Amino acid sequence: MSGIAFYDLDGTLVSSNVVHQYLWFARRRSPLRVAALAASVPLLKLSDLCSRRLFNRIFYRHYRGLNREWLEQMAGKMFDEFLAKHMFPGVPALLETNRNQGYRNVLVTGSLDFTARALAVRLGFDAFDANVLEFRHGRATGRLAPPILAGAEKVRAMEQRARRAGVPLADCRAYSDDTSDLPMLEAVGHPFAANPKPSLFREAERRGWPVVDLR
């Protein structure tokens, strides 16, 4: 094995984000959930400017009360009906190229585990790390089980994966579209700006990182 190729999900592999994913579920449960999400958009934007960790804490409250079994059952359908249609065309070829070069493909995402699992199974990822909702009596409490996967916590998840595989992070690759994942990109020996937002594009140019367009 040459190493591990780590991938962010939202904006990197698909042209959607965790808000769009929740909206898909909300539309199948209640118009009130959709309205509550719409009303929270200003707060979510403000929290994301502060930190992705704070955004996650606030955003995932919207899942409160949803049934665990229903969410897990619907995750595959959500991938087929939504995520698959928003996947960037270059993703399968990138995964295959890294696989052929001896890299294990690992998804590291702030999305929820049941969403990540559906995508990982269908695209043939070797493993994934994702956020996990806390449930009580089968219902989501609106809180995430620690650790909240963002920033430095993503790096810790990557370090654990690399340690178990017996490879140094210096031999690994990482792909993301956003400067919020700079810790993830800085942690590996081979960072790639994938479909980068302007701020990450500028950072990639400054540091000499390769830019990959999967769109």
Side-chain angles (χ1 to χ4, degrees):
M1 183 177 67
S2 300
I4 301 174
F6 296 100
Y7 306 81
D8 175 47
L9 174 58
D10 304 320
T12 303
L13 304 183
V14 297
S15 60
S16 70
N17 57 43
V18 293
V19 176
H20 300 137
Q21 293 162 25
Y22 170 74
L23 185 59
W24 188 92
F25 289 116
R27 284 173 172 160
R28 285 151 183 80
R29 300 310 292 173
S30 167
L32 293 177
R33 286 187 173 273
V34 177
L37 177 63
S40 73
V41 166
L43 176 60
L44 291 174
K45 288 183 176 179
L46 180 61
S47 65
D48 199 31
L49 288 174
C50 295
S51 78
R52 186 57 55 87
R53 184 182 179 86
L54 177 62
F55 168 86
N56 284 339
R57 285 186 180 277
I58 295 173
F59 166 70
Y60 282 113
R61 293 174 186 169
H62 286 283
Y63 277 86
R64 184 185 297 126
L66 289 178
N67 180 271
R68 179 175 194 164
E69 185 177 351
W70 180 81
L71 286 167
E72 292 177 347
Q73 288 176 348
M74 294 296 284
K77 188 174 182 181
M78 194 264 283
F79 175 86
D80 295 333
E81 293 185 359
F82 178 70
L83 284 182
K85 296 176 181 178
H86 288 81
M87 187 184 306
F88 294 120
V91 169
L94 175 63
L95 296 176
E96 185 65 18
T97 295
N98 281 332
R99 190 177 298 115
N100 289 340
Q101 292 178 0
Y103 288 85
R104 297 181 73 241
N105 289 319
V106 175
L107 185 64
V108 184
T109 175
S111 291
L112 292 172
D113 58 337
F114 44 80
T115 299
R117 183 178 297 108
L119 184 144
V121 168
R122 283 159 174 77
L123 294 184
F125 275 88
D126 295 287
F128 70 88
D129 288 294
N131 276 320
V132 178
L133 281 175
E134 176 187 273
F135 290 90
R136 186 170 299 159
H137 307 300
R139 298 278 175 177
T141 65
R143 293 187 292 271
L144 291 173
I148 296 176
L149 214 59
E153 288 297 345
K154 277 191 174 184
V155 176
R156 277 189 273 275
M158 292 161 60
E159 288 171 341
Q160 291 172 6
R161 289 280 178 191
R163 191 179 306 116
R164 289 197 293 268
V167 297
L169 282 177
D171 291 341
C172 295
R173 297 174 175 178
Y175 298 82
S176 182
D177 70 306
D178 196 283
T179 51
S180 63
D181 278 327
L182 276 177
M184 173 182 179
L185 296 172
E186 292 168 340
V188 299
H190 307 283
F192 294 82
N195 318 315
K197 294 176 182 176
S199 57
L200 181 58
F201 182 83
R202 291 191 296 270
E203 193 67 19
E205 280 198 320
R206 186 179 72 82
R207 300 190 187 210
W209 291 347
V211 173
V212 178
D213 193 339
L214 303 174
R215 293 167 290 192

